[in-house]
Amino acid sequence: MTLRIPFFGLLASRSPMDGLVEHYDKIAECIATIDESLECYVSGGVCREFEELTRTIDEIENHADVIKRNIRNHLPKGLFMPVEKSLFLNYTKSQDNILDSAQDALYWLAMRKVLIPESIQKDIIYLLDAVSRTTVLLGPALNATISLIHGQSLDRDGTKATYRKVRAERDNVRKLKNALNKKLYAMDIDFKDIYQIMHFVDCLDDMGHNTENCADHLRAMIAR
């Protein structure tokens, strides 16, 4: 078993784990941007221009990519990493995938105007709310993990509980997505509309899936 340095902050001015928080903050910005207009779009109201919205998401995602590259380009060597490098890189990839899926979701919705049937409007909004809650729950899980790894906290059980909350909300996302797809298949609407809505829904589900992956990687980081 490889020896790790528990008090990384004593040896380096900035832990690479702190960069993950900076990158995570971009997910919160992304969700807030989607929330701003999606409910309006789904219900057929007058919304902020979707082209403007997708540009905003692109800017957030590009900024997140810069943060990710900066983290990866300045990783400490070998034993001076606070966790296994492969775990760290896998976590970074999963967290970045959340942003990529959010970007894809808006692209699918902005591809052409779709009149969302009233019978599934609430289902889509509830799904987005559940995805948002899942990603929000990742923040405390990440911070608790970093505190534990840096020796600032000894609450291992409390940290594990934050992972379980992410998984529970992810399970809710999965159920909402399956129920929504079942409704979509049963609807008598243009196939192009069904196809476009389903890809949008799949992208939201991917955000939940990648958030759960992040929690799994965090769990592996503190495994004994």
Side-chain angles (χ1 to χ4, degrees):
M1 181 178 177
T2 305
L3 177 65
R4 295 286 149 194
I5 308 296
F7 298 101
F8 187 84
L10 300 175
L11 303 174
S13 58
R14 188 171 189 269
S15 165
M17 300 296 290
D18 295 331
L20 296 180
V21 177
E22 189 180 358
H23 186 266
Y24 169 80
D25 287 343
K26 293 299 162 189
I27 295 175
E29 287 183 33
C30 210
I31 289 289
T33 304
I34 294 176
D35 277 344
E36 182 182 340
S37 288
L38 190 59
E39 188 170 343
C40 175
Y41 178 97
V42 168
S43 60
V46 178
C47 317
R48 180 180 169 188
E49 287 294 332
F50 242 67
E51 285 188 6
E52 183 185 344
L53 193 63
T54 52
R55 280 198 299 273
T56 302
I57 292 289
D58 287 346
E59 289 169 4
I60 295 171
E61 208 279 332
N62 289 338
H63 191 183
D65 278 344
V66 171
I67 296 171
K68 182 183 70 176
R69 285 195 295 273
N70 188 51
I71 295 171
R72 292 185 168 188
N73 290 337
H74 296 87
L75 287 180
K77 301 288 184 184
L79 294 177
F80 293 100
M81 274 293 292
V83 297
E84 292 284 347
K85 186 174 285 189
S86 58
L87 280 176
F88 182 88
L89 293 176
N90 286 338
Y91 177 88
T92 309
K93 180 175 175 52
S94 291
Q95 189 165 276
D96 199 55
N97 285 344
I98 300 172
L99 286 162
D100 289 342
S101 296
Q103 196 176 24
D104 290 342
L106 280 192
Y107 277 142
W108 273 103
L109 211 57
M111 197 172 293
R112 55 187 272 277
K113 177 63 181 175
V114 180
L115 292 176
I116 307 292
E118 189 175 347
S119 58
I120 61 168
Q121 288 177 5
K122 286 185 180 177
D123 300 85
I124 291 180
I125 290 169
Y126 291 160
L127 176 63
L128 178 63
D129 285 345
V131 172
S132 178
R133 284 195 297 274
T134 309
T135 59
V136 166
L137 287 170
L138 180 61
L142 176 59
N143 285 320
T145 304
I146 293 173
S147 293
L148 198 63
I149 289 171
H150 287 174
Q152 297 160 347
S153 165
L154 299 175
D155 187 9
R156 183 175 292 273
D157 289 340
T159 303
K160 290 178 182 176
T162 63
Y163 308 149
R164 288 194 289 272
K165 288 179 181 177
V166 172
R167 291 193 197 102
E169 196 57 50
R170 158 59 181 152
D171 190 50
N172 186 38
V173 168
R174 185 184 293 109
K175 290 174 181 172
L176 290 171
K177 176 224 175 183
N178 290 339
L180 181 54
N181 279 344
K182 187 176 180 180
K183 273 190 178 181
L184 269 170
Y185 271 125
M187 298 183 79
D188 186 20
I189 58 176
D190 192 312
F191 176 75
K192 286 193 295 186
D193 289 348
I194 292 179
Y195 189 81
Q196 194 170 343
I197 295 170
M198 287 195 74
H199 271 278
F200 168 69
V201 168
D202 283 344
C203 290
L204 293 183
D205 183 61
D206 283 343
M207 291 177 70
H209 175 67
N210 284 302
T211 305
E212 183 182 39
N213 283 345
C214 284
D216 289 342
H217 292 312
L218 291 177
R219 177 69 183 84
M221 287 180 189
I222 68 165
R224 286 174 169 164

